[in-house]
Amino acid sequence: MHPTDRLRRAAWLGALLLAGHAHAGTAQSPSAITATVETASDERRRGLSWSDGDPVLRGTLSVPVADGLSLDGTATTLWGSDRHGGADAVLDVGATYARQLGGFRLSAEGRYHLFPGADHAFGHWGYGEVGAIAGFLLGPASVDLAARYAPRQSSIGGDNLYVSASSAIAIPGTPLTLSGHVGRSSGDVRDPLRATRLRPDGNYWDHGVALDWYRGRWSAGLRYADTDIDAPNSAHAGASLIARIGFTL
């Protein structure tokens, strides 16, 4: 990539993050808004690298707007992702509604994923998905069961269903949290080429474990991610160790 392109893309994301920080300082009281900036060695989702294995910068903003309802957005650099048509970044925007019913935490969410800089000629524009999550406590651990569905869209060559189970537990006497998950991606294929965007080897399983450290506004973590995809036939789908460090504004 030409150095000028990298500078342009870095400036673009920097402006976005600064705008988000300014919004966090003026829209509501600071205690009502969550804003985080972090860097990671890879952007890996559902076991697949979205940044071609390159480091990324990520900014997240969540704004409560009503009881149980919040609006949120995340901007992540991709630096010309092959998986997403050469996109400079991905913007995840949406809303989450959560309620506590007895011992269960129930959530519903909607997200749209935008890809600035993607080559639209090949259908690499955005796509949307909806999800539902049920969480509960199992002894000292929290457990979440989730389903997320992207209806049939030309940009992903059909539809996509992701179901997952995850758990997390704080390690007593330490600032560490241990977590893990397993998930499965499946769906109907209308365009085999575009369907490889989210399912490069057809339906597949992914799994991972993570160890995260939290201290005040700072956090850091290591995550292991893998899939059952035949890695030699699909770049950036094999086992990987991802490091991250973040700061809450």
Side-chain angles (χ1 to χ4, degrees):
M1 182 183 297
H2 193 279
T4 301
D5 292 336
R6 286 194 178 275
L7 287 173
R8 175 178 60 82
R9 292 170 180 178
W12 175 88
L13 183 68
L16 180 66
L17 295 178
L18 286 174
H21 182 42
H23 178 62
T26 59
Q28 298 186 30
S29 64
S31 62
I33 295 177
T34 301
T36 301
V37 176
E38 64 180 5
T39 184
S41 60
D42 189 6
E43 178 64 10
R44 193 162 289 247
R45 302 191 187 186
R46 302 174 187 178
L48 305 177
S49 177
W50 280 25
S51 62
D52 300 334
D54 292 333
V56 299
L57 177 66
R58 182 186 306 112
T60 300
L61 182 67
S62 180
V63 182
V65 294
D67 184 26
L69 178 65
S70 63
L71 302 179
D72 48 82
T74 300
T76 307
T77 58
L78 296 182
W79 310 124
S81 167
D82 289 339
R83 182 172 303 283
H84 297 292
D88 296 341
V90 55
L91 306 180
D92 308 296
V93 294
T96 300
Y97 181 74
R99 301 294 295 179
Q100 187 77 31
L101 297 177
F104 288 87
R105 304 181 312 276
L106 303 179
S107 303
E109 62 182 31
R111 294 284 182 278
Y112 198 81
H113 310 285
L114 300 163
F115 295 86
D119 186 349
H120 290 203
F122 294 94
H124 291 283
W125 46 81
Y127 68 93
E129 62 181 353
V130 294
I133 305 97
F136 56 93
L137 294 178
L138 187 62
S142 63
V143 177
D144 289 302
L145 304 176
R148 294 177 172 89
Y149 179 66
R152 185 187 304 168
Q153 295 162 80
S154 61
S155 59
I156 57 174
D159 63 2
N160 193 81
L161 173 65
Y162 183 70
V163 293
S164 65
S166 60
S167 181
I169 183 170
I171 300 176
T174 77
L176 301 174
T177 297
L178 180 66
S179 61
H181 85 277
V182 61
R184 179 167 173 78
S185 296
S186 61
D188 177 58
V189 176
R190 294 301 180 100
D191 185 323
L193 179 60
R194 293 181 181 178
T196 62
R197 180 181 186 184
L198 298 184
R199 299 194 308 278
D201 198 32
N203 301 340
Y204 75 96
W205 291 89
D206 75 279
H207 60 274
V209 294
L211 183 65
D212 292 290
W213 169 89
Y214 299 94
R215 179 72 74 181
R217 293 178 177 267
W218 289 95
S219 68
L222 286 174
R223 179 164 65 98
Y224 171 83
D226 199 3
T227 71
D228 67 350
I229 295 174
D230 185 5
N233 296 328
S234 180
H236 307 299
S240 179
L241 186 65
I242 303 104
R244 69 163 189 89
I245 185 170
F247 181 76
T248 300
L249 303 174

